Structures are given as C-alpha cells and as structure tokens.
Amino acid sequence: MRPSLAPVAVLAGLALLVSACSSDQPESAPPGQPSTTGTPGATKTPASPDSMPNSPSVPPTPAGPPMLTKILQQPVDGQHVVTQQRKYLVTRGSDDAGITTVTDRASKRVVVKHVPPAGFVAQSPVVIDDQWALIEDIRDAGPDPEIRAYRYDLSTGKSVDLASQKALPRISEPEIGAADGTFAYSSTDAKRRSCLVIAELASLKARTVDCVADPGYVADPVVSADSVTFSEITSPQTTRRCKRLLTAPLAGGAAKPVVAAKNCIQWSGASLRGATVWSEIGASDPDQYQSTGYVRETAGGSARSIGPIVTDTIVACGNWIHWEVRTVTEGVERFQLQRWQPGLGRPQHIYATPPDAAVTPPTCQDGNLIFEVAHLGAGSKYTEALQVTTA
C-alpha cells in the first residue's frame, strides 16, 4: 500500500456521514462512504426528476418520477447502512473500528458480525451476493500499513482470509469497486507493477486487466453492469503527475483510455453501454472537493460539460450513471443527486437534501441506488438510508 494513496477507510458515526461536507480531500479518495437498501413495508415517495425524452437506442425510462424507499432511520451515532442485497442487509456500527453486521432480511437473524483485528478499521464497500460477502479491513497508521480481506460464507457465517487463496492476487490498494458479485481492485504483480484485477465473488476467478510500471499505480475502480472504469496515476509525487481514466469491458478485452476534455487529472468516472461520465480537476485547483463533470456518449464522441460534481461520487446503477452536486445559496449548503443515461440531453435531478444535511456517495446493489443522509440541523439529529430503483 503506497504512502501517496490516502485510503478511504470508512469512519463510523458522524465522522463518516459529514465527510461529504469537508473541503480538503486526498487524491484517491474524497468524501466518506456507506450505503443503503430497502426493507419490506418501507415508505416510498416520488423523487421528482426533470422530464426528458429517451433515445430509441436506450432502455425505456419508467413513467413518472423514480421512487425513494426509506430503508433505515437511526441516530447519527447508530448503525449505518452499507448496502442491502436481495437476502441481506449490511450495516456498520459507529464504534471506532466499524463492526460490520450482515443480517438475514427475512428472519432478522444476524449471520455475520465482523470485528476488525486490533489496529484495523473497516473499509467500504462490502461485496455481497446470495451466498458470500467480502469484508475489507485496513491499517494505515504506523510504519506497517496493511490490507486484509475476508470472504464469509453466509450459510454458515464462517470466514476465509483471502490472502490464503493462492489463485486470487493480493489486494494492494484499499479501493474496491463492486457491482453485485463482481469486484475490481489493485494488486501488485511479480514485476512490481500495479495491476487492475477483476474477480468474481462466488468463484474467486480473476483476470488482470491492465498494469502500470512502478512508481505509477492503478486506483479508483468503478464497476457497472458491463464495464470497469479506473485510474492510472503516472509520475506520482512529481510536477509531471497525471491521473487518467481507462475503461474495460467486464466480458473481456483491453482497457481503453477515456480521453480527457481539459485537465490531466481525471478524478473518477463510470461507464455504461459505451458512454462515460467522468470528472476532472487541475493540479493547482484550490478546491479538489469540487470537480468539473463531463459526458461522452461513445468512445470516439465529443465531450460535453455537465457542470460541477462532488469529487468521487460517480457510480453506474441500472440504466443510469449517477453523481452528487453541491450548491451554496445565501450561505446554505445543499446536495443534489443527479443521473443521466445515453440519449438524454441533460441530467435529471432525482433528490435534494434539506438544509444542514450531509449525504454519502451513492452505491449500487441489485439495480438499486443506495445512499445515506445525515440530518444535522437544529432539533433531533439522525440519519436515514434511502434507495432509488434504477431499472
């Protein structure tokens, strides 16, 4: 784990939730983490998006606004939703280490209670399918940083340290991108190159997508239904440092660059059906929490700006690519959740926070977008986890 890459350790409780409001974020990992998903009988409300026509070449958009489902409401120092899968709800506690709990949604039985080893803290996300869950811990303090990952059998609750699985390359950077049971991460090969690996949670079969010679490295993988988008950082810690995006199909094939619109530092992005949304910043930009978003509908198409994006919040889910936008009006800070799909002329607004609220970057599970809102204004302070269906 290289010292120039600040890990995205999931901080518990209030620190985790208000991290979206901080303005000084490290390169490979801005704002905080958890996620969310739905329980039977949860409240549903329209999200009121802007209406836009669809291109005949893209899947039809459901009639009316998308529905928001409230999954869980807790005190700020309570449990936080990491993700919700068809069978399981994953939450993380506000304790210092971030104890992770996997609960059977039907029986309410706790099937996994993962306590990080001493000195380690929990790291998002949790990769999960109907049978398995991958939980990652990180120790980044002190002279000996380390990443550990465990695969739990959800039928027995037993875990295996993934470092003992010889066929699976070791995780060398803390960021993991995931979509359902497929995940992508960085590893270091025998030539000391940093490589992007795609793996299947159920079989642990893996393939190497792309490698960068030391001291360069790959980071920030974002997995969609059909592709993985990731960063290559070259000449780190020099004035020639560059961070470019590439995308590769999950089904196999070479990674191809996402041509930058303006800046050498492409922070993060997501690709879906050949289209890509990404963000860029300049190396000298004073506020790297905000970046400029761009969209390109095809690999060889022209790039067009979609305005400011909260850095490192872009995720593909269902038929859409989503991200967060921060606005300040008369000193009042608010956040919006926006989405776009190929064929649309402009993004849709699907959620806006009230004043004095922070929001976590969204994640995707089973075609559902999940995020958590911390209400921090006067009166009672609480968090609520919300889910948006994205089919």
Side-chain angles (χ1 to χ4, degrees):
M1 202 169 62
R2 57 196 78 239
S4 62
L5 182 62
V8 194
V10 174
L11 305 178
L14 180 61
L16 172 64
L17 291 159
V18 301
S19 59
C21 295
S22 64
S23 61
D24 183 15
Q25 298 291 340
E27 173 174 322
S28 63
Q33 223 124 336
S35 306
T36 333
T37 338
T39 50
T43 304
K44 295 186 177 181
T45 56
S48 303
D50 296 337
S51 177
M52 284 175 235
N54 271 339
S55 163
S57 63
V58 302
T61 302
M67 302 301 292
L68 292 175
T69 301
K70 185 182 293 186
I71 300 164
L72 185 68
Q73 181 171 315
Q74 289 278 298
V76 170
D77 60 353
Q79 292 288 111
H80 301 285
V81 175
V82 178
T83 195
Q84 182 172 275
Q85 194 261 355
R86 286 181 292 268
K87 292 184 177 181
Y88 302 102
L89 173 66
V90 183
T91 59
R92 187 154 286 156
S94 297
D95 54 282
D96 290 340
I99 296 174
T100 303
T101 303
V102 181
T103 303
D104 185 297
R105 293 177 60 191
S107 69
K108 310 301 181 186
R109 180 176 63 90
V110 172
V111 296
V112 170
K113 187 173 183 179
H114 176 79
V115 181
F120 285 75
V121 297
Q123 174 85 8
S124 273
V126 169
V127 186
I128 189 168
D129 63 13
D130 288 345
Q131 178 67 36
W132 309 96
L134 184 154
I135 300 177
E136 183 186 25
D137 299 325
I138 183 170
R139 179 180 62 200
D140 65 336
D144 187 25
E146 185 179 353
I147 296 170
R148 293 185 182 179
Y150 306 87
R151 189 177 75 156
Y152 279 87
D153 184 335
L154 298 176
S155 64
T156 65
K158 295 181 179 180
S159 68
V160 173
D161 188 338
L162 286 185
S164 67
Q165 305 301 300
K166 304 291 186 189
L168 193 70
R170 290 286 296 268
I171 298 171
S172 60
E173 303 288 349
E175 301 92 352
I176 294 178
D180 302 330
T182 300
F183 62 105
Y185 63 94
S186 299
S187 187
T188 302
D189 69 5
K191 299 178 181 178
R192 297 188 57 81
R193 299 179 304 173
S194 177
C195 301
L196 184 82
V197 174
I198 296 176
E200 296 297 327
L201 181 61
S203 65
L204 296 184
K205 290 182 179 178
R207 71 178 179 93
T208 297
V209 175
D210 197 39
C211 295
V212 179
D214 188 62
Y217 57 99
V218 299
D220 308 321
V222 176
V223 178
S224 74
D226 61 12
S227 58
V228 56
T229 306
F230 61 100
S231 299
E232 282 187 356
I233 296 90
T234 56
S235 301
Q237 301 182 349
T238 75
T239 57
R240 294 180 293 107
R241 177 175 61 104
C242 192
K243 188 174 192 283
R244 66 171 187 155
L245 286 179
L246 297 94
T247 186
L250 294 183
K256 297 181 179 180
V258 176
V259 179
K262 183 178 179 181
N263 291 307
C264 178
I265 300 179
Q266 295 173 287
W267 200 297
S268 65
S271 300
L272 184 67
R273 299 194 305 275
T276 303
V277 172
W278 76 97
S279 66
E280 299 179 12
I281 59 171
S284 60
D285 288 354
D287 181 11
Q288 296 195 348
Y289 174 65
Q290 292 270 52
S291 47
T292 301
Y294 297 92
V295 61
R296 183 178 283 121
E297 296 213 22
T298 61
S302 59
R304 69 176 190 266
S305 173
I306 50 175
I309 284 179
V310 177
T311 302
D312 211 28
T313 63
I314 304 170
V315 62
C317 195
N319 296 325
W320 302 85
I321 300 176
H322 304 77
W323 63 90
E324 291 175 10
V325 173
R326 172 182 175 265
T327 61
V328 180
T329 304
E330 296 181 350
V332 178
E333 182 182 56
R334 293 176 185 263
F335 293 87
Q336 292 180 357
L337 189 63
Q338 298 188 1
R339 70 180 185 177
W340 174 87
Q341 64 177 198
L344 296 187
R346 57 193 175 92
Q348 291 184 354
H349 303 258
I350 62 172
Y351 178 80
T353 64
D356 300 315
V359 62
T360 63
T363 62
C364 183
Q365 181 71 41
D366 298 333
N368 295 310
L369 193 77
I370 300 162
F371 61 100
E372 192 166 70
V373 181
H375 297 268
L376 305 170
S380 61
K381 294 175 174 55
Y382 64 95
T383 66
E384 59 180 351
L386 301 173
Q387 172 181 292
V388 180
T389 300
T390 64

